[in-house]
Amino acid sequence: MSAKSLFEKVWDQHVVVPESEDTPAVLYIDLHLIHEVTTPQAYATLRAAGLPVRRPDRTVATMDHSTPTEPVTTLKDIDVVSQPAAARQIKAMIENCDEFGVHLYGFGSEHRGIVHVIGPELGATQPGKTIVCGDSHTSTHGAFGALAFGIGTTEVGHVLASQCLLQRRPRTLAINISGRLAEGVGAKDVILAIIGQIGVDGGTGHVIEYRGSAVAGLSMDERMTVCNMSIEAGARAGMMAPDDTTYEYLQGRELAPKGAAWEEALVRWRSLPSDPGARFDRELDLDVSNLAPMVTFGTNPGMVIPIDGTVPAKVADPGFKKALDYMQIEAGKPLLGKPVDVVFIGSCTNSRLSDLRQAAHILRGRKIPDSVRVLVVPGSQHIKHEAEAEGLDQIFLAAGAEWRESGCSMCLGMNGDTVASGKLSVSTSNRNFEGRQGPGARTILASPATAAATAVNGAVSDPRQFLN
Amino acid sequence: MKPIIRFSSHTVVLPFDDIDTDQIIPARFLTTTTREGLGDALFSDWRYDSDGSPDPDFVLNTPAAQGAEILVAGNNFGCGSSREHAPWALLDYGFKAVISTQLADIFRNNSLKNALVPIIVDPKTHAWLLEHPGTEVEVDLEDTVIRLANGQAVTFPLDRFSRYCMMHGTDQLGFLLQQDEAISAYERERAWPI
Ligand code: SF4
């Protein structure tokens, strides 16, 4: 048998009907994650056709995008803290899941949170699975060696009704990452550097496999940060080979296999990594030894520089000029020292316990200037409680930050947590698009360490200043 | 869905690269629970001033753009989020096709599911279209070509299955549901737990 890549193995194992020139492959989906924003119309399709959800047991539902980050205990609270349309959407989700028999990790659940945070946290995300969600950052789950990608609402309906998707096989791109990360430099900086190098459309049509010694050395939280932003390079998905770090993370989690099933799963999972000699359609090498913390300066994640660098001057490009005008950032100048109005620590990219610890490490015993609003939003209720058990909330609150309930929050500003027009935000999220954090909001993407350092100084700062 | 065989229209040009789905339809409009009525919110942050009045300089607000069914955009249109609200908004506004040199994967998929024709052309054709805003273009799914006013016919890639569905107004879910036996067999016979 010829050598196969991780992607090819997972793909082949899930083909129900092979593709032909006339028809795409029918691909079986092991895990369907759903949230309130991209499902109401899909449920409506099922209802209109009189169809049930085929595998409610393979469907995991939560609410994250439009949910308030103020505490909610009763459904009445939602009306109080949410806008009417958001409240309607939340209630529709509760009713739809109830009607179709899908378990919802809703208000009051320890595992309500950002859909890409709770999948792994519950142990539902596992190596070798096909995982989809009506959300582009589904690529996050590829960190476990799953084939995970975002779909639209029509396809959400397809999966609800048939547990399958019609798919053409994507191409593959191997990114070999070597070297040792310097202190103060992390997974977020690695993925921002990759997007800067290949561009926001560099991965279009491809599934990326991140490989190499630097990947093996990353924790699961860090691996998820890298895979999460694969979509920002246009990739269909990002994957990493499962290894002992993966298994250690999963063992004992609520939905992970137990006992003999765990042992069987381990044998299967160990066969998943790409065979030696596996072929990829494209390959790319990256040495991260000299990487600095990265920050974006423009209006897409590919417009990125090292924190000690200067904004490039490509003024001949009208799009580039439009982006700098929007950001009110000058070509040829550094970003370091630029005053900011808001710091957001959260999102499916960087809201896990280790992200919060990094930020707390820098904020401990320090005061945030009054001019800066700092919002810390954990990825799930479980992470919130873990952080509180360690006293991280007290560190944030003492520094002058706000400590919230879990959700997407200021990553996309759907729930009322927004950055005001014209204000500059340093955010640990994944998109610095125009208006992403609110109409007219200006966003710089950075790691949790860079965000925390920026919060302390009230201006874009190098986290390496706080190394001790 | 109405079957589409061919249609022609004048174009509107948005020449910027990497137009993301947050520009096509900002997140604050995603609290809807239906597919309809999103056309008014299309390109909202570019189209309206902060007081909600149409910005006369934005191309969709110009008299020449009225009635256009084909959008010509800069490279890599539709990147970012998976929101199907993006093609829904474009369709609701009145667009039937989008032309670029590259379309983001999820946006392209979503467009195909809703019969918004995603058209990828070579850089030369693209440059010509950018330079001729308002030009008349015929989109022909039968031959998978676009015909330009300069006499050129340019073919574009289109998956056969999606083309069939668009030309017949077929919903892809029907096809999937016909696979029920194969799906059940897969669930029964797979060597490891579903
Ligand atoms: S945190 Fe942001 S990117 Fe992640 S799922 Fe929520 S809105 Fe999407």
Side-chain angles (χ1 to χ4, degrees):
Chain A
M1 236 174 47
S2 63
K4 278 189 183 181
S5 68
L6 166 64
F7 160 74
E8 290 171 304
K9 293 182 194 185
V10 181
W11 175 274
D12 290 350
Q13 288 173 1
H14 290 85
V15 173
V16 174
V17 181
E19 66 183 319
S20 70
E21 221 174 290
D22 286 333
T23 50
V26 177
L27 195 71
Y28 197 79
I29 302 303
D30 291 323
L31 175 63
H32 188 195
L33 301 161
I34 61 174
H35 63 82
E36 77 279 17
V37 178
T38 54
T39 44
Q41 298 87 350
Y43 273 126
T45 303
L46 263 66
R47 195 175 290 119
L51 294 165
V53 172
R54 185 182 177 98
R55 297 298 300 246
D57 60 329
R58 298 287 92 214
T59 311
V60 167
T62 192
M63 305 191 287
D64 51 4
H65 282 66
S66 52
T67 51
T69 50
E70 310 281 0
V72 167
T73 34
T74 71
L75 276 184
K76 271 218 184 70
D77 295 342
I78 300 169
D79 291 326
V80 177
V81 294
S82 297
Q83 305 198 322
R88 261 202 309 280
Q89 193 169 56
I90 289 165
K91 286 182 188 163
M93 184 67 175
I94 296 170
E95 285 160 16
N96 283 330
C97 288
D98 195 43
E99 180 185 337
F100 285 88
V102 171
H103 179 72
L104 172 68
Y105 292 87
F107 295 112
S109 163
E110 173 72 358
H111 293 291
R112 189 186 67 77
I114 305 173
V115 68
H116 309 307
V117 173
I118 69 158
E121 175 180 292
L122 285 163
T125 300
Q126 292 164 20
K129 277 192 176 181
T130 43
I131 302 177
V132 297
C133 174
D135 191 283
S136 60
H137 290 99
T138 308
S139 57
T140 311
H141 308 267
F144 290 79
L147 173 60
F149 52 92
I151 56 177
T153 296
T154 299
E155 290 182 318
V156 169
H158 290 182
V159 180
L160 287 174
S162 72
Q163 204 57 32
C164 288
L165 271 182
L166 295 167
Q167 289 288 303
R168 290 282 177 194
R169 188 189 181 101
R171 294 187 293 275
T172 53
L173 163 63
I175 302 186
N176 305 303
I177 310 177
S178 61
R180 252 185 107 94
L181 286 172
E183 250 197 288
V185 184
K188 181 66 162 285
D189 305 307
V190 171
I191 188 62
L192 283 173
I194 290 172
I195 300 163
Q197 190 173 331
I198 70 174
V200 290
D201 59 354
T204 304
H206 291 77
V207 169
I208 298 176
E209 182 179 327
Y210 303 95
R211 316 157 43 85
S213 55
V215 173
L218 297 177
S219 71
M220 287 319 294
D221 283 7
E222 293 171 317
R223 292 180 192 188
M224 284 189 259
T225 299
V226 172
C227 287
N228 172 274
M229 288 188 73
S230 302
I231 182 70
E232 288 353 305
R236 201 79 189 88
M239 300 177 86
M240 290 174 180
D243 60 13
D244 288 344
T245 308
T246 320
Y247 313 141
E248 215 169 281
Y249 176 100
L250 283 174
Q251 192 160 24
R253 294 201 180 248
E254 198 170 317
L255 300 179
K258 309 260 154 39
W262 171 261
E263 296 305 324
E264 279 167 33
L266 270 186
V267 173
R268 200 170 64 246
W269 294 346
R270 289 202 166 107
S271 70
L272 288 170
S274 294
D275 299 327
R279 301 259 196 137
F280 298 88
D281 294 305
R282 279 166 61 203
E283 288 210 49
L284 174 74
D285 298 321
L286 180 75
D287 183 342
V288 293
S289 306
N290 296 318
L291 197 67
M294 303 294 285
V295 279
T296 62
F297 60 87
T299 53
N300 73 49
M303 303 175 85
V304 65
I305 51 171
I307 192 140
D308 43 13
T310 52
V311 176
K314 276 206 304 188
V315 272
D317 174 349
F320 190 85
K321 188 174 173 312
K322 182 170 177 286
L324 291 199
D325 287 350
Y326 179 86
M327 288 298 294
Q328 300 168 33
I329 279 174
E330 277 179 72
K333 296 268 173 67
L335 284 180
L336 210 54
K338 202 172 169 62
V340 305
D341 306 294
V342 176
V343 170
F344 172 60
I345 297 171
S347 90
C348 56
T349 315
N350 286 123
S351 64
R352 299 179 182 84
L353 192 59
S354 58
D355 299 313
L356 302 181
R357 281 182 186 150
Q358 273 177 47
H361 180 70
I362 291 174
L363 285 164
R364 185 190 303 272
R366 297 196 166 94
K367 265 270 175 247
I368 297 159
D370 289 343
S371 56
V372 186
R373 178 184 183 199
V374 179
L375 195 68
V376 186
V377 182
S380 70
Q381 291 306 97
H382 184 65
I383 290 172
K384 178 171 190 272
H385 298 144
E386 282 185 310
E388 287 170 352
E390 290 183 14
L392 301 187
D393 58 327
Q394 294 308 316
I395 296 172
F396 293 128
L397 290 167
E402 295 168 53
W403 174 248
R404 294 297 186 91
E405 300 290 302
S406 64
C408 297
S409 180
M410 224 180 240
C411 172
L412 90 168
M414 249 190 101
N415 71 336
D417 296 340
T418 53
V419 175
S421 184
K423 300 287 184 199
L424 185 63
S425 140
V426 166
S427 173
T428 66
S429 54
N430 42 53
R431 288 189 174 139
N432 51 344
F433 297 153
E434 280 183 35
R436 170 79 178 182
Q437 296 192 283
R442 301 179 291 141
T443 303
I444 292 174
L445 301 176
S447 72
T450 303
T454 299
V456 171
N457 292 331
V460 178
S461 299
D462 190 332
R464 294 173 296 188
Q465 171 198 345
F466 294 97
L467 293 179
N468 43 30
Chain B
M1 271 187 305
K2 274 204 217 118
I4 303 178
I5 312 279
R6 65 180 66 80
F7 61 92
S8 46
S9 160
H10 59 287
T11 64
V12 178
V13 170
L14 267 181
F16 306 109
D17 292 348
D18 307 316
I19 294 175
D20 57 77
T21 51
D22 277 83
Q23 306 319 311
I24 301 172
I25 180 138
R28 61 185 181 282
F29 299 107
L30 307 188
T31 48
T32 175
T33 50
T34 62
R35 294 169 192 246
E36 292 79 31
L38 290 166
D40 287 343
L42 180 70
F43 296 117
S44 184
D45 290 348
W46 290 350
R47 205 161 131 205
Y48 306 107
D49 288 329
S50 47
D51 65 359
S53 58
D55 173 356
D57 293 335
F58 184 62
V59 63
L60 287 196
N61 296 327
T62 60
Q66 304 317 305
E69 293 177 341
I70 299 172
L71 177 66
V72 177
N75 301 304
N76 190 35
F77 183 79
C79 56
S81 118
S82 66
R83 61 190 70 164
E84 199 160 316
H85 310 68
W88 292 340
L90 286 159
L91 283 162
D92 193 57
Y93 178 87
F95 286 118
K96 291 184 179 168
V98 182
I99 306 181
S100 176
T101 50
Q102 174 124 281
L103 297 163
D105 288 329
I106 307 180
F107 174 78
R108 187 162 190 274
N109 254 329
N110 286 341
S111 299
L112 289 169
K113 299 280 187 296
N114 290 277
L116 172 71
V117 186
I119 300 174
I120 295 176
V121 293
D122 60 278
K124 230 176 107 191
T125 305
H126 189 237
W128 188 88
L129 285 164
L130 291 179
E131 284 160 16
H132 296 83
T135 185
E136 196 75 11
V137 172
E138 185 187 37
V139 175
D140 183 340
L141 292 193
E142 184 100 61
D143 298 336
T144 55
V145 293
I146 54 169
R147 297 193 182 86
L148 309 182
N150 65 5
Q152 270 194 305
V154 182
T155 58
F156 61 93
L158 188 61
D159 169 58
R160 267 207 215 184
F161 180 72
S162 301
R163 172 173 166 267
Y164 175 91
C165 290
M166 285 198 283
M167 288 181 66
H168 293 83
T170 310
D171 180 29
Q172 301 190 5
L173 179 59
F175 176 82
L176 249 181
L177 293 173
Q178 282 168 20
Q179 313 300 315
D180 184 58
E181 235 172 79
I183 298 169
S184 295
Y186 177 89
E187 285 176 328
R188 253 191 338 266
E189 289 158 19
R190 189 163 98 168
W192 69 100
I194 293 283

